[in-house]
Amino acid sequence: MRRGPSLLLWLAIGMPVCGVAYAFAPVGGAEVVPAYRRLEATVRTDTLPDSPCGRHLELGGRWHARHNPWTGTAHAVWGEGLLLAPGGIRCAADARMVALAFLRSYPDAFAVSNANAIFLGAFHERGKWAVHFRQVANGLPVVSARAFVLLTDEGMAAAFGSDFFPDGFGSPVPGMDASSAIALAASQLGTVPDASGETSADLVYMPAPGVEAFVPTLAWRVRFSSEVPLGEWEVFLDAHSGDLLGRRNLNHTLEVAGTVLAEAECPSYCDGYAPVPSSSQMVGVIGVDSTWTDSSGYFSVPVSGAGYALLKMELSGLWIDVDRSYGQDATHFEMVSPGSLLTISWDDQNSLPDERDAFINGNRAHDFLKTIDPGFVGMDRPVTTRVGRSDGYCPGNAWWDFADGSINLCAEQGAYANTGRISDVLYHEYGHGVTNGIYTAGGTTDPPNDMHEGNSDILANLMTGSSVIGVGYFDGDCVTGVRDSENTLQWPDDVVPGQPHTSGQILAGFHWDAWRELRASLPEAEADSVARAVWHYSRVLGLPQTFPDQVLWSFWADDVDGNLDNGTPHHEDLCVAATNHGFECPPVLVGVLISHTPLGHCPDTTSRREVVADIVSTEGPLDPSEVRLAYRVNGGAFQYVLMAPEGTQDRYRAELTELGGMGEVEYYLHAKDIYGNEGMNPAAAPGELHEFDLTVAYDDLESGGPGWTVGYAGDDATTGIWELVDPIGTMAQPENDATPDPGAMCFVTGQCEGMQCHAGCTLGCNDVDGGATTLLSPVFDVSWADNAKVKYERWYSNQTGTAPRTDIWEVEISNDGGGSWFNIEYTQEPALSWQSVEVDVREMFGTPGQVQVKFVASDTGDPSLVEAAVDEFRVLAGTGQPTGVADAVIATSALALSPAHPNPVPGTTWVDYALPARGAVSLSVYDVSGRLVRTLFSGVRESGTHRARWDGRDAHGAEVMAGVYFLRLATDDGALTRKMTVVR
């Protein structure tokens, strides 16, 4: 194994704490998220330089670290691998001994000793041992203080880290007794503990904010259940002052975060019923014996004699026990004659639909987990599943009850459907039990609620094959769901305090995108197996407590050789998914490495731009003939240019030439060394490309936005007026503009001022209220051009408040300097991330003229939280045929399919293709699951070039959801496929 030079990883001492962020749950009373959980997210991935001060860890080879600023320890370290046990790891005892000896060897970096480390377990999966320890001080557990080492069977340490506190533990003698702590915890919540439930109080050390850093504070951990507010509560109180340090409801509920438009793809009441085997169900013969049905529903009970026997069945079995909340549970009796083969049905004569659905779907969830991990026993028990509830969190809800480990599903009521009749709702709630089972087996506390919710969503996604959760949730609405894992939400910008379901979509989005990327590069069955294993074992091995940690453990779970510097078998697919949602992925530092800062938009239509990159191979010299720049203009054919070395070591340079006037330029870098190792930048090229526009007008809004106008006839908003600022992030407004660093400015509808906004603004913090506010772009004269496009980035939020998703985001364009206006966007759908929008002026108006754009955000009627933002405005224009798309198709004599343009697709897009000979043609749109969405053309075409239009609708005329789709051109000469992305 190669070894590089020794590297010192500097771990900074904790930085000052400026405040405590609190979040509030929408139901079940106030929930205070312990501040230390949120602050853990501040750790960063860095290869840090040598430092003469601070704590350090000296290892051979190349290593990377995330530090914990609150403990001063190494939160996570990974790299080339470090051989700790030459004889290999044979059992859990070996793993424990090797891991503890290693951690104790670096007390400054890990703060681990024999006296303060309690062994949690050594979990063996996929050729790796994950060894975990928790910290104790003065005989008491320290909340969230854990250490780990990830070892291979061969004895190689692939990763390790610690969140142990090195010191600062006060006396273990409390200032109040347990009964006083229980009474105080209940009174702060305005309730009394349920006498029928278990109430407990134990002493722990809890990380709490001090003067300059988090310090371990002696605390009472109180647990009790209550009816009002309904919940199973865990409360942390300062054992001396009684101050509240943290509180959460351990019951996990399903709450409405909004709706998405989609076709129902999962079985629910929308689809009707078909006969399916009822497996793992108990069947009894009165006075004789009982048994369980197998996977096909078959059962056999030996009975002596030839007389009649009485058979009894309930919807209860090995893994699910359905309990009707009101009335007698489903029961079936039948007189049977031994020797005859019976067919017995659960139907409306002996059961309710939600009882049957809950039993079938609960068993499916159990069996699905067993296909991933046959050794997982966390749900190997009859899970009580209560259907038809109208109390508790009902109506329109479902929840996992932490106190008794049950699933609870609500009856149909008002606008809400029966949640027991929607399969992925049950899968989601079952997922909470899975999470609890994983963390209980690991000997540690459950993760925060947003991680609970995100992981429950992804279980449902993986089981149904659909990214949408809760289709049919609104009674009779078989199109709308409540959440979508196919999203562009970013960590940490899109975390919404107090809304774990919304925030959880970020984590679910990572795993959904990973599955989608794997399906694009692997056979379907293999992709499914990898996606499921990475998701499951990242939690079994890592027991992560933050989103970034679960993403990092996903890479570690995928690794096979203990050397994380050379990547993992599916590193590229996982990395695409991670970067899609703002997570860092461990860099691959073996082979050909290319470092390059992408070019930005250019307000200049000249024909040259310079591309510079640092390129090096860790294995040997580069092949000069294989260091290349590939680029294309307006979706045309790629052109290739050799990159030449310059005086600076490892630096290469090339020029993009012949770009023409109006230009949408895409490019990537490629290099290969003399041993055949190659690298790309972007890493997923040519499937992923750098891109920029050559414009006649480009305003990044960093220099004051000259020519822009705020206000228009009819504006009547009282707050939330458009202004050009460096935005302060809130639960509805972006923290960052859309311009790459060092850009900061953009137009937003009202700045939310004040320090309180850094912890999440309250409703009404200078959002749009009382009417409409308008932003007008300058007028751009493109009457000289044959072709023109307008592009911009925008942000829109309207899903919070008393009337969510009722207000409209409207954008209009004029081709006559504001004399007449035409809609570009008219939508009630929010997007809590920057979205790209493109308008083809020629396609709209025929001849470009005096172009101006008008952005209108409004809040009318019932109040809701409305925020909007605009940035990166640009105009592209040129004369003659646009270089690229059409030229590329015309020039080929072979079968050709050009990329959709525009892409991403804001509503309507065009598809150009070429045929070498007359013949039958089919041009169709498919979704990521391979389902046909729309056939754009089917018939006979002559040879030559052709164009088709897609309006972003399916075969039934409904707008498709935002997401990734595939164009497929099929002919007698072959088939071609192109990917495109729909934005809304």
Side-chain angles (χ1 to χ4, degrees):
M1 179 173 293
R2 296 179 59 256
R3 291 292 181 202
S6 174
L7 177 67
L8 292 179
L9 299 182
W10 176 68
L11 305 171
I13 302 298
M15 60 189 71
V17 180
C18 298
V20 180
Y22 294 103
F24 298 90
V27 297
E31 175 177 3
V32 181
V33 177
Y36 71 89
R37 292 198 184 281
R38 297 209 172 277
L39 293 170
E40 281 178 355
T42 63
V43 298
R44 299 180 297 108
T45 301
D46 276 304
T47 301
L48 297 167
D50 192 0
S51 172
C53 59
R55 303 178 179 187
H56 67 270
L57 168 64
E58 187 170 0
L59 301 169
R62 183 169 45 243
W63 294 86
H64 320 277
R66 289 180 181 176
H67 73 278
N68 184 330
W70 315 119
T71 63
T73 55
H75 172 76
V77 182
W78 68 96
E80 291 185 352
L82 184 66
L83 186 61
L84 297 183
I89 305 296
R90 296 164 299 175
C91 61
D94 283 354
R96 174 184 181 180
M97 179 183 66
V98 170
L100 183 58
F102 172 69
L103 293 172
R104 285 192 296 108
S105 299
Y106 297 93
D108 280 350
F110 301 122
V112 173
S113 69
N114 285 338
N116 72 355
I118 298 296
F119 177 61
L120 287 178
F123 311 107
H124 188 237
E125 300 289 352
R126 299 165 68 86
K128 293 182 279 288
W129 292 87
V131 188
H132 292 266
F133 302 89
R134 65 179 174 87
Q135 186 177 15
V136 295
N138 297 321
L140 301 177
V142 183
V143 175
S144 192
R146 295 190 303 157
F148 76 93
V149 179
L150 182 64
L151 299 164
T152 66
D153 284 346
E154 294 75 25
M156 186 76 69
F160 35 85
S162 169
D163 294 307
F164 276 31
F165 282 84
D167 47 39
F169 298 97
S171 168
V173 179
M176 68 175 70
D177 59 21
S179 59
S180 298
I182 293 171
L184 179 59
S187 67
Q188 288 180 344
L189 195 59
T191 188
V192 293
D194 185 351
S196 64
E198 181 179 348
T199 300
S200 65
D202 59 303
L203 285 171
V204 298
Y205 283 103
M206 168 81 168
V211 177
E212 294 186 350
F214 271 50
V215 295
T217 300
L218 186 67
W220 282 107
R221 177 169 54 192
V222 179
R223 287 180 174 172
F224 63 90
S225 57
S226 66
E227 291 294 330
V228 181
L230 183 64
E232 179 75 12
W233 300 97
E234 181 180 59
V235 182
F236 293 90
L237 299 175
D238 188 308
H240 295 285
S241 67
D243 291 343
L244 178 65
L245 301 180
R247 179 173 60 222
R248 63 172 174 165
N249 188 346
L250 298 175
N251 289 349
H252 301 288
T253 65
L254 175 63
E255 298 155 357
V256 179
T259 58
V260 293
L261 301 178
E263 292 185 2
E265 297 181 353
C266 292
S268 73
Y269 71 89
C270 296
D271 305 280
Y273 282 96
V276 296
S278 182
S279 64
S280 302
Q281 176 184 321
M282 187 173 71
V283 179
V285 176
I286 301 297
V288 181
D289 200 357
S290 61
T291 188
W292 311 98
T293 56
D294 65 14
S295 60
S296 65
Y298 177 78
F299 68 92
S300 175
V301 180
V303 177
S304 61
Y308 282 92
L310 180 61
L311 179 144
K312 178 184 179 181
M313 295 191 312
E314 295 179 348
L315 285 171
S316 176
L318 289 168
W319 319 125
I320 295 293
D321 181 7
V322 176
D323 179 7
R324 187 187 299 177
S325 293
Y326 300 97
Q328 182 180 349
D329 292 350
T331 308
H332 178 80
F333 292 95
E334 186 167 335
M335 294 299 297
V336 298
S337 176
S340 60
L341 189 62
L342 303 171
T343 301
I344 303 173
S345 298
W346 288 109
D347 54 32
D348 289 341
Q349 302 303 311
N350 55 20
S351 59
L352 296 177
D354 55 1
E355 292 178 294
R356 303 192 296 271
D357 289 354
F359 186 78
I360 294 298
N361 289 321
N363 279 296
R364 285 176 174 170
H366 175 272
D367 295 346
F368 180 81
L369 263 296
K370 287 294 187 181
T371 65
I372 303 173
D373 182 4
F376 177 68
V377 297
M379 297 294 279
D380 283 359
R381 60 179 175 82
V383 176
T384 299
T385 304
R386 302 186 183 94
V387 300
R389 294 195 67 165
S390 59
D391 58 343
Y393 298 116
C394 296
N397 222 324
W399 67 95
W400 172 266
D401 193 311
F402 189 91
D404 62 6
S406 66
I407 294 172
N408 298 266
L409 304 159
C410 294
E412 175 185 345
Q413 187 174 347
Y416 303 107
N418 186 322
T419 53
R421 300 178 65 186
I422 307 173
S423 63
D424 57 14
V425 170
L426 185 141
Y427 299 153
H428 173 98
E429 300 308 332
Y430 195 93
H432 287 305
V434 174
T435 298
N436 180 243
I438 288 172
Y439 283 76
T440 298
T444 188
T445 57
D446 278 17
N449 285 1
D450 50 7
M451 293 188 69
H452 246 291
E453 303 301 343
N455 281 298
S456 285
D457 275 1
I458 203 62
L459 173 61
N461 298 149
L462 293 172
M463 289 190 65
T464 64
S466 170
S467 64
V468 181
I469 300 291
V471 171
Y473 173 81
F474 298 102
D475 193 25
D477 180 354
C478 292
V479 176
T480 303
V482 295
R483 285 189 303 284
D484 194 348
S485 299
E486 179 92 33
N487 62 64
T488 58
L489 297 175
Q490 300 290 299
W491 169 267
D493 292 349
D494 293 326
V495 171
V496 182
Q499 296 190 21
H501 294 92
T502 299
S503 302
Q505 291 177 105
I506 304 171
L507 184 62
F510 160 71
H511 284 288
W512 176 262
D513 285 0
W515 185 24
R516 184 183 61 186
E517 293 295 327
L518 288 163
R519 277 203 164 190
S521 59
L522 296 173
E524 182 175 305
E526 183 180 356
D528 292 351
S529 177
V530 172
R532 295 166 185 174
V534 164
W535 166 69
H536 178 71
Y537 289 109
S538 68
R539 303 197 298 153
V540 170
L541 291 169
L543 304 173
Q545 291 282 337
T546 65
F547 287 3
D549 276 357
Q550 182 162 329
V551 173
L552 188 58
W553 273 97
S554 296
F555 286 92
W556 294 348
D558 188 48
D559 183 53
V560 294
D561 64 359
N563 181 355
L564 293 163
D565 266 4
N566 64 5
T568 70
H570 310 99
H571 183 280
E572 181 177 315
D573 295 323
L574 297 180
C575 198
V576 170
T579 54
N580 282 353
H581 295 278
F583 298 109
E584 296 175 339
C585 48
V588 176
L589 296 178
V590 172
V592 176
L593 310 175
I594 305 175
S595 175
H596 165 65
T597 300
L599 300 178
H601 303 306
C602 180
D604 183 2
T605 56
T606 56
S607 60
R608 296 178 182 273
R609 292 203 74 185
E610 191 172 60
V611 177
V612 178
D614 293 326
I615 307 174
V616 65
S617 172
T618 63
E619 306 302 311
L622 293 172
D623 181 346
S625 66
E626 292 288 347
V627 182
R628 297 183 298 168
L629 164 68
Y631 72 97
R632 66 185 181 191
V633 182
N634 297 327
F638 276 109
Q639 302 179 60
Y640 301 91
V641 179
L642 285 177
M643 299 190 72
E646 63 172 33
T648 305
Q649 184 179 7
D650 302 326
R651 179 153 294 181
Y652 290 77
R653 188 180 302 272
E655 281 191 341
L656 292 166
T657 60
E658 300 178 5
L659 298 179
M662 175 177 169
E664 297 169 299
V665 183
E666 300 168 296
Y667 70 97
Y668 69 94
L669 310 179
H670 169 267
K672 187 182 292 186
D673 64 24
I674 61 174
Y675 299 112
N677 300 302
E678 62 180 336
M680 299 281 193
N681 190 305
E688 179 185 352
L689 302 168
H690 298 305
E691 57 186 48
F692 66 89
D693 294 332
L694 291 172
T695 71
V696 295
Y698 168 49
D699 196 339
D700 58 9
L701 301 177
E702 299 301 318
S703 57
W708 289 78
T709 304
V710 173
Y712 195 71
D715 277 8
D716 51 0
T718 55
T719 63
I721 310 303
W722 287 101
E723 56 182 311
L724 184 62
V725 294
D726 179 357
I728 297 174
T730 74
M731 63 188 303
Q733 181 176 291
E735 169 67 23
N736 299 308
D737 70 341
T739 306
D741 289 340
M745 307 291 286
C746 65
F747 274 107
V748 299
T749 51
Q751 179 75 294
C752 183
E753 302 288 358
M755 287 302 296
Q756 77 277 10
C757 299
H758 290 287
C761 278
T762 57
L763 297 180
C765 183
N766 206 9
D767 69 310
V768 180
D769 282 323
T773 179
T774 302
L775 173 67
L776 283 164
S777 78
V779 176
F780 300 94
D781 182 2
V782 289
S783 59
W784 53 270
D786 297 324
N787 306 281
K789 289 184 178 181
V790 172
K791 294 183 176 183
Y792 56 88
E793 308 295 313
R794 61 91 162 168
W795 174 294
Y796 182 58
S797 169
N798 72 342
Q799 77 273 36
T800 304
T802 59
R805 293 179 182 262
T806 57
D807 292 294
I808 295 169
W809 166 250
E810 187 173 8
V811 184
E812 295 181 315
I813 188 169
S814 172
N815 198 42
D816 57 6
S820 56
W821 296 95
F822 300 86
N823 272 116
I824 301 172
E825 296 187 80
Y826 190 85
T827 183
Q828 294 171 312
E829 288 303 304
L832 279 174
S833 60
W834 286 102
Q835 303 289 311
S836 299
V837 179
E838 174 181 318
V839 186
D840 192 313
V841 177
R842 184 186 64 171
E843 287 181 358
M844 285 196 68
F845 299 106
T847 302
Q850 306 292 317
V851 173
Q852 188 176 26
V853 179
K854 177 169 59 175
F855 303 90
V856 184
S858 59
D859 185 6
T860 58
D862 292 332
S864 57
L865 180 57
V866 175
E867 295 278 13
V870 172
D871 201 5
E872 289 291 282
F873 189 91
R874 50 211 190 270
V875 178
L876 291 72
T879 58
Q881 173 67 37
T883 303
V885 174
D887 291 345
V889 171
I890 293 170
T892 181
S893 60
L895 183 68
L897 175 63
S898 290
H901 57 98
N903 185 21
V905 180
T908 297
T909 193
W910 298 91
V911 182
D912 295 295
Y913 60 99
L915 307 175
R918 184 179 187 272
V921 177
S922 175
L923 181 64
S924 303
V925 179
Y926 293 84
D927 65 16
V928 291
S929 67
R931 183 183 59 85
L932 176 65
V933 175
R934 175 93 169 266
T935 298
L936 305 182
F937 180 81
S938 180
V940 176
R941 287 287 200 198
E942 299 296 327
S943 63
T945 61
H946 303 276
R947 171 171 287 188
R949 176 181 177 272
W950 183 43
D951 59 4
R953 297 179 181 271
D954 63 17
H956 304 294
E959 284 190 344
V960 302
M961 296 164 39
V964 174
Y965 294 83
F966 296 93
L967 284 165
R968 180 170 175 80
L969 175 68
T971 73
D972 293 338
D973 295 307
L976 298 172
T977 301
R978 289 278 192 177
K979 184 166 71 172
M980 59 183 172
T981 302
V982 173
V983 295
R984 294 297 184 197

